[in-house]
């Protein structure tokens, strides 16, 4: 069975907690505060330097929309509110900066640094005497006054400021700019009093549903200043926000989301809100030390993936949670926000199963949803996607303009065009962590080098991670030190790996089972080398309605379908692209393949090409296997609904007697694909 389903069955415990807290409370509920240290401490922004295919990807972003959105996107380009103008003062400018700031320092790109610094400097330099910050409000323009405690209601929504706080936190990590801590301290002192008059949900439900982002930043500042009043503020914000942690543990919330897709309480099942909320339990655990929060997280995540999870590692979110059929869509914002939540979960808990989940989501769900030049995005992508075109499909948010499935800048809502930039940059930032015992940990894998200091003596060290992972199974760590240093070096062994092999300086060190973090403690010297070998086996994973998905290592593979691109224009949303199939897609996998994937498949590795891109021509690995056409499996309203399988687990309808050879490629390189295959005889 699918590992996620097994985890759901194991972790799904019922807790006597109410399903929903519709009306936020404005008072602090009594709670025990027992602040917990991070399990893993992220290294400073700028200490991780991408290499190989990851560097190519970040350079594409710099040359594409991430590096130039302020020049090409009117909402950010024209009279921007975060530069003192009358333009955008909502979430999109902070969303962009939330990805552009880490990119600027990861690439050490002076031009991009100068761009983002305009917004950072304006924000820091235009804080009101009261502590309030953000774009100049209409009331301030009309009266010449400034927002303070007595007129907090003349301010703007709390939500966009939560995103800008994340931007400033990353900027501080990169520069240690001495303006940031006093700025945040002053703002949070304002919030402590203002929230009593102007609570989190005063303006919109977005702040109420996403208040945990505010709590997270308050607790980040607490780790630096140790001001205990910040924990009281964190508890106050939490009490005024949606009770996600309770809902995750209570379980009836996720079942209700699976059963209802109407307009009632839709914010509580909005996919992006859910993705953001996944960090709610660990942020509250961090403040309180109450392990019930962690139980609720395990229960909630397992339930979400059981009832709404898709083969590519993300859940349906079009825009609501919408079940686990591979014909449902996922909003790009939901993917990148869930990735960020998983990164925070890893930092707090050190739980390796969330590291596996993060890699699967990153390497499978995120890349296909943007064009390979990083200019256009797809608002909703579909797991079994046999065409990209205008239409309403099976989404809960269809739009009259039918633009949610096409690739475009403004297609659907533009929030994702601004928000997509954090996905790769924050994943890069979480490749390395420092440990509580003075060591260093490689928890996620991609080509890069780390330059940092280690241990009490702050010994300088560089570790170069040489790999083509996730397309290759070998990861080499080369150590550079000017003097010897003793410290633990931790490595994650993914759960999908049956047995990893580790060597140190060319000699066998150990064999390790998957699903753990191992610790190598020694005195390290210059030119030491550790090699981690993670053998990848082809597996057929059970999915919805007896279908099967083919996986190898952290990658999910889908049918290679020929693509015909065409360009169109819609009056209000501009240029967009459609993609239609040029080859057959209606294949089922014979039971011989699903029952014996190791012997019934052939893996062909061609290697990465120069100037890496996520497109069909650049797929570095293929799996060759057998399939049969399902003659009556046809497109209905743009969708390839799965044929019905009986209890025996295979489709009994009109199946071709002819066995054909098909090619599977990692779904990250596809725009069209079948990744959940019906099983046939």
């Amino acid at each position: 069975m699918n590992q996620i389903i097994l985890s759901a069955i194991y972790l799904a415990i019922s807790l006597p907690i109410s399903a929903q807290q519709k009306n936020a409370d404005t008072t602090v509920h009594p709670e025990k505060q027992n602040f917990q240290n991070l399990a893993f401490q992220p290294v400073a922004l700028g200490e991780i330097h991408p290499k190989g295919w990851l560097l190519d990807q970040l350079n594409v972003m710099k040359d594409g929309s991430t590096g130039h959105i302020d020049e090409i996107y009117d909402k950010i380009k024209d009279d921007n509110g975060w530069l003192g103008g009358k333009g955008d003062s909502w979430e999109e400018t902070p969303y962009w900066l939330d990805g552009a700031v880490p990119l600027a320092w990861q690439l050490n790109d002076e031009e991009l640094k100068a761009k983002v610094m305009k917004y950072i400097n304006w924000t820091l330099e235009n804080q009101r005497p009261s502590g309030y910050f953000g774009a100049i409000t209409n009331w301030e323009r009309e009266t010449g006054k400034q927002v303070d405690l007595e007129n907090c209601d003349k301010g703007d929504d709390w939500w966009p400021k939560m995103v800008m706080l994340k931007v400033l936190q990353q900027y501080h990590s990169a520069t240690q700019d001495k303006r940031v801590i006093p700025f945040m301290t002053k703002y949070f002192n304002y919030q402590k009093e203002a929230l009593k008059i102007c609570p989190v949900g005063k303006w919109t439900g977005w702040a109420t549903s996403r208040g945990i982002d505010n709590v997270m930043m308050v607790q980040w500042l607490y780790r630096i200043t140790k001001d205990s009043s910040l924990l009281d503020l964190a508890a106050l914000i939490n009490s005024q926000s949606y009770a996600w942690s309770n809902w995750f543990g209570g379980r009836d919330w996720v079942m209700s989301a699976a059963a209802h897709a109407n307009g009632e309480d839709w914010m509580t099942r909005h996919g992006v809100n859910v993705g953001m909320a996944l960090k709610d339990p660990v942020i509250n655990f961090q403040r309180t030390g109450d392990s019930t929060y962690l139980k609720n997280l395990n229960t909630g995540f397992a339930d979400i993936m059981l009832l709404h999870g898709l083969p590519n590692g993300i859940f349906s979110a079009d825009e609501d949670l919408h079940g686990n059929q591979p014909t449902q869509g996922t909003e790009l914002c939901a993917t990148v926000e869930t990735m960020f939540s998983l990164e925070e979960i890893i930092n707090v808990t050190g739980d390796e199963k969330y590291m596996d989940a993060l890699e699967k989501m990153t390497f499978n769900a995120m890349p296909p949803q943007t064009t390979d030049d990083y200019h256009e995005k797809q608002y909703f992508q579909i797991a079994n996607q046999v065409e990209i075109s205008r239409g309403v499909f099976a989404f809960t948010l269809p739009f009259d303009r039918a633009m949610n499935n096409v690739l475009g800048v403004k297609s659907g809502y533009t929030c994702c065009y601004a928000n997509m930039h954090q996905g790769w940059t924050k994943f890069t930032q979480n490749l390395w962590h420092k440990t509580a015992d003075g060591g260093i940990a490689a928890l996620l894998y991609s080509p890069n080098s780390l330059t940092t200091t280690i241990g009490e003596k702050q010994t300088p060290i560089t570790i170069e991670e040489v790999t083509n992972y996730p397309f290759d199974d070998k990861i080499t760590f080369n150590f550079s030190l000017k003097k010897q240093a003793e410290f633990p070096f931790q490595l994650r062994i993914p759960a999908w790996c049956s047995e990893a092999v580790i060597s140190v300086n060319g000699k066998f060190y150990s064999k390790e089972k998957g699903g753990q973090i191992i610790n190598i403690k020694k005195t390290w010297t210059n030119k030491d080398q550790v090699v981690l070998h993670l053998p990848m086996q082809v597996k057929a994973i059970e999915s919805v309605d007896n279908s099967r998905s083919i996986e190898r290592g952290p990658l999910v593979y889908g049918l290679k379908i020929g693509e015909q691109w065409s360009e169109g224009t819609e009056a209000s949303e501009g240029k967009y692209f459609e993609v239609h199939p040029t080859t057959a897609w209606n294949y089922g996998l014979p039971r011989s393949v699903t029952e014996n994937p190791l012997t019934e498949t052939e893996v062909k590795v061609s290697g990465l090409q120069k100037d890496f891109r996520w497109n069909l021509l650049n797929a570095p690995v293929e799996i060759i296997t057998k399939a049969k056409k399902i003659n009556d499996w046809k497109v209905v309203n743009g969708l390839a609904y799965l044929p019905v399988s009986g209890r025996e687990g295979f489709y009994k309808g009109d199946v071709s007697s002819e066995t054909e050879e098909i090619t599977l490629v990692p779904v990250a390189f596809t725009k069209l694909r079948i990744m959940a295959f019906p099983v046939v005889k």
Side-chain angles (χ1 to χ4, degrees), residues 266-301:
W266 66 269
M267 289 282 281
T268 69
R269 61 177 186 273
H270 181 269
V272 182
N273 291 348
V274 173
M276 292 178 175
L278 281 169
K279 59 183 174 287
D280 187 283
V282 297
I283 300 301
N284 287 315
F285 164 75
Q286 183 186 42
R287 184 179 67 259
T288 65
D290 186 348
S291 62
T292 302
Y293 282 114
L294 300 185
K295 294 177 182 177
N296 290 359
L297 168 65
N298 290 335
T299 299
F301 185 70

Side-chain angles (χ1 to χ4, degrees), residues 310-537:
L310 299 169
N312 55 2
I314 189 61
F315 46 83
S316 65
D318 58 18
E319 289 185 345
D320 304 325
L321 298 180
H322 204 181
N324 56 9
Q325 287 291 331
T327 48
Q328 297 310 140
T330 299
E331 183 180 340
L332 179 53
C333 278
T335 299
V336 296
E337 289 293 352
T338 303
M339 287 170 56
F340 177 63
S341 286
L342 292 176
E343 289 153 4
E344 291 301 306
I345 290 168
I346 290 165
N347 293 342
V348 175
T349 69
D351 190 333
E352 64 272 6
K353 69 174 174 287
Y354 295 108
M355 303 172 198
D356 289 345
L358 174 58
E359 278 197 349
K360 185 171 186 180
M361 199 173 296
T362 302
F363 294 143
N364 298 285
M366 183 172 61
Q369 210 158 352
T370 59
T371 51
D372 59 15
D373 62 2
Y374 221 73
H375 275 297
E376 284 80 25
K377 60 92 177 70
Q378 191 181 24
Y379 192 58
F380 296 149
Q381 73 164 321
I382 299 170
N384 277 6
Q385 188 163 260
V386 296
E387 68 177 59
I388 293 176
S389 62
R390 292 186 65 174
V392 296
F393 299 91
F395 309 143
T396 61
L397 190 68
F399 279 117
D400 294 337
R401 297 186 302 279
M403 290 282 287
N404 282 348
N405 184 243
V406 297
L407 290 154
V409 169
K410 298 181 179 179
S411 58
Y413 284 120
T414 53
C415 54
C416 294
Y417 183 59
N419 198 18
M420 65 188 189
H421 313 281
Q422 69 167 312
W424 283 116
T425 55
K426 292 184 181 178
F427 176 78
T428 300
Q429 188 56 29
N430 280 273
L431 295 173
W432 291 94
H433 292 73
K434 292 187 177 180
T435 64
D437 57 0
I440 198 79
L443 302 180
L444 307 166
Y445 300 124
S446 288
N448 73 92
S449 67
L450 169 72
T451 299
T452 189
T453 56
I454 200 74
E456 293 182 2
K457 297 182 180 179
Q458 294 295 291
T459 303
I461 182 173
T462 295
I463 306 176
E464 184 181 16
E465 183 175 339
V466 182
T467 185
N468 283 331
Y469 186 92
F471 318 111
D472 192 16
D473 60 7
K474 182 180 178 182
I475 306 170
T476 300
F477 301 93
N478 295 317
F479 290 68
S480 297
L481 301 89
K482 290 185 177 180
K483 58 181 180 179
Q484 293 183 345
E486 182 180 358
F487 60 87
F489 179 49
Q490 296 188 13
L491 293 170
R492 166 180 145 264
I493 312 299
W496 53 257
C497 181
S498 298
E499 187 174 67
V501 179
I502 301 169
S503 63
V504 178
N505 295 330
K507 297 181 179 179
F508 172 80
Y509 180 81
S510 67
K511 291 184 178 181
E512 305 289 347
K513 298 295 183 183
Q516 62 171 323
I517 297 172
I518 63 103
N519 200 345
I520 304 173
K521 188 170 184 179
K522 67 182 291 288
T523 299
W524 300 92
T525 61
N526 192 41
K527 296 186 178 180
D528 273 348
Q529 184 183 82
V530 174
V531 177
L532 173 62
H533 182 209
L534 300 169
M536 299 178 179
Q537 295 182 330

Side-chain angles (χ1 to χ4, degrees), residues 63-77 115 374-375 409-410 417:
D63 296 337
S65 57
T66 313
H68 298 280
I69 199 171
D70 60 320
E71 303 166 29
I72 59 180
Y73 180 38
D74 290 347
K75 188 176 285 188
I76 293 177
K77 179 178 68 173
K115 284 192 173 194
Y374 221 73
H375 275 297
V409 169
K410 298 181 179 179
Y417 183 59

Side-chain angles (χ1 to χ4, degrees), residues 598-609:
L598 286 177
T599 59
E600 295 294 315
T601 60
E602 178 187 359
V603 178
K604 292 185 176 181
V605 179
S606 59
L608 294 174
Q609 299 184 27

